[in-house]
Amino acid sequence: MMMYLQCLGFSPTHAASLLTVMSVGRICGSLLGGFLGDRFASWSPLHGRALVGQMSIVLGAIPLCWVLWFYPRAGSPTPVLAAALFSFSLLALWCNPGVDRPLWSELVPAYCRGKIIGWWRTIAETCGTIFGGPLVGYISVAILGYKPSQDLQQGNAESLGTAMLVCTMLPWAFCLCCYSAIHCTYPKDCRSEVSRLLPKS
């Protein structure tokens, strides 16, 4: 994102300020996600958290698409870009505190809870770290024509933004399918957990 903002013409200091705005959005988004997860779970115990996950992905995709696709082509005042980056961070981070961790903690047996959550976080972070950056680089350079030149900043921003969008939206589409499946799998998991905890006669 720092490289993308600099391709848009922002100085390193200005780009860092915009990333700080995103970081504040992440803090607020994590708190909001936990609050919404609990609120929706109390409203609909079997479907509320899955709905929060679906909402987070769909709502978070809107400002991200605007930042990565529309902004470099149309341009807007910097405060509008800052607001979009804040909105993205605010809306796209509900899944972890509001859905993932509560469901893992509820359904995974206590004796292996830490190990399972550790593996889950390791796999999630590893996939993004190993495949994300190189894939964005390959798509932007080999397919979309990114060239490291000061004279091509606008075209580079469009190439890099499109590559980032592709590498974000495709996994998010898969995640949306997974969170949608929770509506079917979670009630069954709850019944299995209740049966496991009931004393055997």
Side-chain angles (χ1 to χ4, degrees), residues 77 103 163 195:
L103 292 186
S195 301

Side-chain angles (χ1 to χ4, degrees), residues 2 7 39 48 52 65 72 99 119 126 134 147 181 190-191:
M2 171 67 93
C7 285
R39 181 59 61 94
V52 168
C65 286
V99 186
W119 271 109
T126 301
K147 289 183 175 57
C190 284
R191 287 195 292 271

Side-chain angles (χ1 to χ4, degrees), residues 43-69:
W43 167 65
S44 176
L46 296 179
H47 301 282
R49 293 195 186 276
L51 185 58
V52 168
Q54 293 173 303
M55 289 169 51
S56 180
I57 293 171
V58 172
L59 293 176
I62 295 170
L64 183 64
C65 286
W66 186 86
V67 168
L68 296 178
W69 181 260

Side-chain angles (χ1 to χ4, degrees), residues 129-144:
T129 302
I130 292 177
F131 300 113
L135 195 55
V136 168
Y138 175 78
I139 292 173
S140 61
V141 173
I143 299 174
L144 299 173

Side-chain angles (χ1 to χ4, degrees), residues 106-179:
E106 180 182 340
L107 296 175
V108 174
Y111 68 87
C112 63
R113 190 170 293 153
K115 178 172 60 178
I116 295 296
I117 293 177
W119 271 109
W120 159 57
R121 292 305 302 160
T122 299
I123 292 169
E125 297 294 333
T126 301
C127 289
T129 302
I130 292 177
F131 300 113
L135 195 55
V136 168
Y138 175 78
I139 292 173
S140 61
V141 173
I143 299 174
L144 299 173
Y146 179 97
K147 289 183 175 57
S149 170
Q150 293 288 355
D151 300 329
L152 301 170
Q153 290 289 68
Q154 180 65 27
N156 284 341
E158 293 179 8
S159 299
L160 188 56
T162 302
M164 291 169 64
L165 195 61
V166 168
C167 292
T168 302
M169 289 299 123
L170 291 180
W172 276 15
F174 176 72
C175 288
L176 182 61
C177 294
C178 291
Y179 283 109

